[in-house]
Amino acid sequence: MADMLEVKDLCKTYVVDKRQNNVLKNISFTVEEGDMVAIMGPSGSGKSTLLYCVSGMDRPTGGEVNFDGENIGNYSEKKLTEIRRNKMGFIFQQMYMMKNLTIIDNILLPAVENIGSKKSHREKVERAKELLHKMGIPEVADHDINEVSGGQLQRACIARSMINQPKILFADEPTGALNRAASTEVMEEMTRLNEEGCTIMMVTHDSRVAARCKRVLYLVDGTIVGEYKDSGDVNTSLADRERRLNNWLMELGW
Ligand SMILES: Nc1ncnc2c1ncn2[C@@H]1O[C@H](COP(=O)(O)OP(=O)(O)OP(=O)(O)O)[C@@H](O)[C@H]1O
Ligand SMILES: [Mg+2]
């Protein structure tokens, strides 16, 4: 498989009140096409910063980020915006949807804003409907965003992140605000998307969520201190995968 993301010696330093905070320290790793990777680690270890730096939402202080064969580290804001819109999808813990739009119009928004797209408006609407179906929530298409459950809203956010057919999906604690049942629903959809070929990189505090990933990178104080690889055995139950992952996490002091 080709590398979707190749990160070399990535550093990020924030300067606050003239004091330097080295948040990411020479981080290197690769994410192959079709991979599903979780980033775990203590609060403040730099997980969100890492996600933002590799997805062009924040600028690294040093190192290289190669995405889909392009070194995006020095790209202009305009070019990064274009790449984010056409090739990347984003999901966050706090769901951002426009209050004055229905669910389907929210999902359509990134497609409508994608003025360079060759698709007609009708094709975009068809795609939005297809995604609502895929996420199991076709019935809420015309609901306002306050007329759906948390799990439905987060699945709508996934649909929105997929509207422009991204190559990679970045998610920062996508299940962080959800109860267990809704979290399972969301993870089932994300696993399905991955099985269909979408590469996924997500930050999570939840080992139940991370157990669905093929790899887990463990970050402490801006450094990757461990990497877990799932055996990939289809006969292993999710509960067993979670148990194994928890044992590994415990060894790292989780
Ligand atoms: N925009 C910013 N300006 C200055 N410092 C920042 C900024 N964003 C993050 N930091 C600092 O970088 C460090 C890592 O933050 P980050 O949000 O990446 O942690 P995290 O691992 O995602 O934590 P959590 O699990 O709590 O979400 C923290 O010390 C934080 O204060
Ligand atoms: Mg975070």
Side-chain angles (χ1 to χ4, degrees):
M1 280 286 187
D3 284 342
M4 178 64 71
L5 195 62
E6 188 187 13
V7 177
K8 284 189 212 159
D9 289 323
L10 180 69
C11 297
K12 178 68 183 179
T13 301
Y14 287 114
V15 181
V16 179
D17 294 335
K18 292 186 185 160
R19 241 185 306 160
Q20 280 200 2
N21 184 2
N22 301 319
V23 176
L24 300 178
K25 301 164 186 166
N26 296 88
I27 289 196
S28 300
F29 66 95
T30 55
V31 177
E32 282 182 357
E33 209 177 325
D35 212 345
M36 185 161 175
V37 186
I39 313 291
M40 295 189 81
S43 182
S45 55
K47 303 179 297 295
S48 295
T49 306
L50 177 63
L51 202 72
Y52 299 155
C53 282
V54 300
S55 59
M57 285 182 19
D58 203 348
R59 293 225 178 246
T61 314
E64 249 181 61
V65 177
N66 293 297
F67 169 71
D68 199 22
E70 298 179 81
N71 181 351
I72 63 169
N74 299 317
Y75 274 17
S76 67
E77 207 43 60
K78 189 166 168 245
K79 222 165 163 193
L80 282 176
T81 306
E82 207 178 287
I83 288 182
R84 280 198 301 266
R85 188 166 49 210
N86 294 318
K87 296 191 175 181
M88 298 174 174
F90 293 90
I91 311 170
F92 302 96
Q93 174 176 0
Q94 297 302 333
M95 305 161 227
Y96 299 106
M97 286 231 165
M98 308 284 278
K99 283 202 182 81
N100 51 340
L101 297 180
T102 61
I103 291 288
I104 191 156
D105 285 339
N106 264 290
I107 292 170
L108 267 168
L109 201 57
V112 172
E113 284 171 345
N114 194 1
I115 35 180
S117 157
K118 291 182 190 75
K119 283 199 176 126
S120 69
H121 188 71
R122 226 181 78 197
E123 284 171 317
K124 290 173 183 175
V125 172
E126 279 313 307
R127 166 109 182 125
K129 284 186 179 165
E130 182 193 310
L131 283 166
L132 275 165
H133 251 282
K134 239 182 172 175
M135 294 298 142
I137 49 169
E139 71 281 8
V140 301
D142 298 317
H143 285 219
D144 283 339
I145 66 166
N146 57 358
E147 294 170 340
V148 296
S149 73
Q152 287 173 329
L153 189 60
Q154 192 63 314
R155 281 185 281 164
C157 286
I158 299 177
R160 182 181 55 182
S161 74
M162 296 302 294
I163 189 88
N164 289 332
Q165 284 157 309
K167 294 198 156 193
I168 190 165
L169 190 56
F170 292 105
D172 195 354
E173 299 188 33
T175 60
L178 303 177
N179 65 26
R180 205 167 151 132
S183 164
T184 302
E185 282 171 7
V186 164
M187 282 316 295
E188 277 171 1
E189 298 311 336
M190 290 189 60
T191 309
R192 199 165 305 150
L193 286 176
N194 176 251
E195 282 164 3
E196 287 170 6
C198 185
T199 309
I200 297 179
M201 179 170 168
M202 68 161 81
V203 171
T204 182
H205 278 115
D206 187 343
S207 59
R208 260 173 76 84
V209 165
R212 290 180 181 265
C213 294
K214 295 171 183 164
R215 289 161 68 203
V216 180
L217 302 177
Y218 196 79
L219 210 61
V220 174
D221 201 14
T223 307
I224 295 175
V225 297
E227 175 176 346
Y228 179 84
K229 251 198 169 85
D230 183 70
S231 66
D233 182 357
V234 287
N235 296 315
T236 313
S237 70
L238 188 59
D240 278 339
R241 285 161 70 179
E242 191 189 343
R243 209 167 302 127
R244 277 187 215 161
L245 176 61
N246 272 323
N247 288 340
W248 179 81
L249 287 168
M250 252 163 26
E251 279 171 27
L252 288 169
W254 173 244

